[in-house]
Amino acid sequence: MDENTFKLLVKLTQEGQLSSLQKQITVVGSTAVQEVRSKHFGRSGDTLLHYAARHGHLDIVEYLIKQLGVDMEVCNNDYKRPLHEAASMGHSECVSYLLEEGAKVDSLKKADWTPLMMACTRRNLDVIQQLLCHGADPKLHNKDGWNSFHIACREGDPLVVEHLLHAAPYVWKTESKTRRTPLHTAAMHGCEDIINILLERCGYIPDSPDSCGVTPFMDAVRNGHISVARMLLEKHQASPVAADVLRAQPVHQVAVTGQEEALRFLVQELRVDVNQRATDLQLTALHYAAKEGHVSIIKTLMELGAELHVKDIKGRTALHMACIGQHADAVRTLLLLGLKDSQDASGTTAQQLARKPDVVQAFECGLTDS
């Protein structure tokens, strides 16, 4: 069978034109049916059954399985089965049919994702219920250590999260390979409704750290989710000054991510020390903000009482850090605020670290006495 014919078959399948598909396959003859049945297309290696399931064309799915004898467990190059495709796209009727026909409910695609995990990314409760009723295991982990509950907490649908907890009451008691819990996931993505459910129904320990020492509170503030951070403080006794493995506190982390509202929340509302040091290098939030080039954070830090001339253990000021990051606007801002260039412990000035033309130019504008 020539390539143009195959392309036509794919097009007809994707568009859901069953009668035209049947006619075209009849035209190519019975000797070509075996070729149609086993043909994998393109880089993905999808079969016609994958296309039909992905687009939710139940009549074509039935035709391919019942009349052409396509294996419902056929894999593409990512080891996806048709059930993965139907579940990931929320096609309830196709999912139901494949399960009734005996499709393996917990089949694994690349990276060990199950159909249930795929369904949780779409927040489709009907599909999730069908999979669970056919024995899907929500406790299975993918290669990163995430289970379906992690994924549901990321997506933020309370009905899905509640249903998974009902189906498997201890499904919350899980960690990824980096020791991140569903509470971390929900906090990172600002899912307030999910945080409420997790704090009420699950037994998470306050400030449980992942492998980097990051707590759910840190995840919330460094992503700008102030309301979630407040919930963790009030309902879970989270600490606003807990430190990660590098001894960086939330005040340092929000300086890195450029979250101005979170910075004000920490310093003004929670009275966190804006000049608190982090890591063995004794870096302040001002050092971090300068290295990332966050001009608005630099200005806010100064407004909140940050020490402009503070140096880390290597004798570097925020000006050194701005030059290390090659951030011309940050250099100009620090110079305008009155920070003079100086030598670090190795005798290197910030100006000597400038490489990009606009950073060099910032020093050549006469804003420093160096």
Side-chain angles (χ1 to χ4, degrees):
M1 194 182 307
D2 63 54
E3 200 62 31
N4 287 334
T5 303
F6 276 128
K7 287 181 180 179
L8 177 59
L9 295 179
V10 170
K11 181 176 182 292
L12 295 173
T13 300
Q14 290 175 323
E15 294 176 353
Q17 298 186 44
L18 175 59
S19 59
S20 297
L21 179 66
Q22 290 173 316
K23 289 177 183 177
Q24 188 62 40
I25 289 177
T26 300
V27 168
V28 299
S30 58
T31 55
V33 169
Q34 177 60 39
E35 193 176 4
V36 172
R37 185 186 298 137
S38 59
K39 174 69 174 177
H40 292 262
F41 300 88
R43 293 182 180 179
S44 64
D46 289 328
T47 65
L48 293 183
L49 186 55
H50 285 92
Y51 289 120
R54 183 182 305 144
H55 289 273
H57 300 312
L58 177 59
D59 53 353
I60 296 182
V61 169
E62 290 184 90
Y63 166 70
L64 292 171
I65 292 173
K66 290 294 188 181
Q67 296 189 40
L68 290 193
V70 177
D71 181 6
M72 73 178 70
E73 299 297 339
V74 64
C75 296
N76 68 7
N77 292 341
D78 287 331
Y79 305 108
K80 274 187 183 179
R81 274 75 163 179
L83 183 60
H84 284 100
E85 297 287 1
S88 68
M89 299 306 293
H91 296 309
S92 176
E93 291 184 342
C94 288
V95 168
S96 178
Y97 175 78
L98 289 167
L99 290 172
E100 293 298 331
E101 288 297 313
K104 295 178 182 177
V105 71
D106 282 329
S107 55
L108 302 180
K109 80 168 192 70
K110 192 174 183 179
D112 295 339
W113 280 64
T114 66
L116 180 59
M117 293 176 192
M118 304 290 285
C120 285
T121 66
R122 288 284 175 172
R123 303 169 59 164
N124 190 310
L125 184 58
D126 184 33
V127 170
I128 290 167
Q129 288 174 327
Q130 288 186 52
L131 291 164
L132 289 170
C133 286
H134 280 80
D137 186 353
K139 300 185 296 297
L140 291 177
H141 291 80
N142 65 19
K143 74 174 184 63
D144 296 315
W146 282 39
N147 67 12
S148 297
F149 196 66
H150 276 101
I151 297 164
C153 288
R154 181 191 68 188
E155 297 303 320
D157 188 327
L159 292 177
V160 171
V161 169
E162 292 274 16
H163 194 81
L164 287 171
L165 282 171
H166 176 76
Y170 294 101
V171 71
W172 63 269
K173 203 170 184 178
T174 181
E175 294 180 345
S176 71
K177 288 188 176 179
T178 55
R179 294 178 52 199
R180 293 182 63 76
T181 67
L183 186 61
H184 283 90
T185 302
M188 178 181 180
H189 291 275
C191 302
E192 292 183 44
D193 291 339
I194 306 306
I195 295 291
N196 261 324
I197 294 170
L198 298 182
L199 295 183
E200 288 175 5
R201 296 190 53 179
C202 308
Y204 291 112
I205 299 171
D207 292 323
S208 56
D210 67 10
S211 59
C212 294
V214 173
T215 67
F217 179 85
M218 293 177 188
D219 269 325
V221 291
R222 69 184 184 178
N223 286 284
H225 304 307
I226 309 303
S227 57
V228 169
R230 283 199 176 94
M231 290 171 62
L232 291 167
L233 287 169
E234 296 166 4
K235 298 184 177 182
H236 209 227
Q237 295 78 52
S239 170
V241 293
D244 64 17
V245 294
L246 296 176
R247 298 205 298 277
Q249 295 183 10
V251 70
H252 305 110
Q253 295 164 350
V254 300
V256 171
T257 57
Q259 296 293 341
E260 186 174 347
E261 184 185 354
L263 177 60
R264 291 186 182 278
F265 168 66
L266 289 168
V267 178
Q268 293 178 322
E269 194 169 326
L270 303 183
R271 303 300 179 187
V272 171
D273 181 5
V274 72
N275 292 305
Q276 181 66 42
R277 303 287 190 132
T279 79
D280 293 339
L281 295 175
Q282 296 291 291
L283 300 170
T284 66
L286 186 61
H287 284 98
Y288 283 109
K291 187 175 181 181
E292 298 299 324
H294 296 315
V295 171
S296 64
I297 297 294
I298 292 172
K299 292 177 179 178
T300 301
L301 284 166
M302 297 308 301
E303 177 190 333
L304 296 173
E307 297 177 18
L308 181 62
H309 297 90
V310 67
K311 295 183 177 183
D312 69 3
I313 202 168
K314 292 186 176 182
R316 298 175 299 185
T317 66
L319 194 57
H320 285 86
M321 305 308 285
C323 288
I324 288 172
Q326 303 300 312
H327 299 298
D329 287 343
V331 168
R332 293 188 190 96
T333 299
L334 290 165
L335 291 171
L336 286 169
L337 287 168
L339 183 56
K340 305 298 184 181
D341 199 1
S342 61
Q343 292 183 340
D344 64 15
S346 69
T348 303
T349 66
Q351 187 171 5
Q352 290 172 325
L353 297 171
R355 298 288 180 269
K356 291 176 65 177
D358 56 346
V359 180
V360 173
Q361 186 179 16
F363 285 99
E364 293 175 348
C365 288
L367 296 176
T368 176
D369 295 334
S370 299

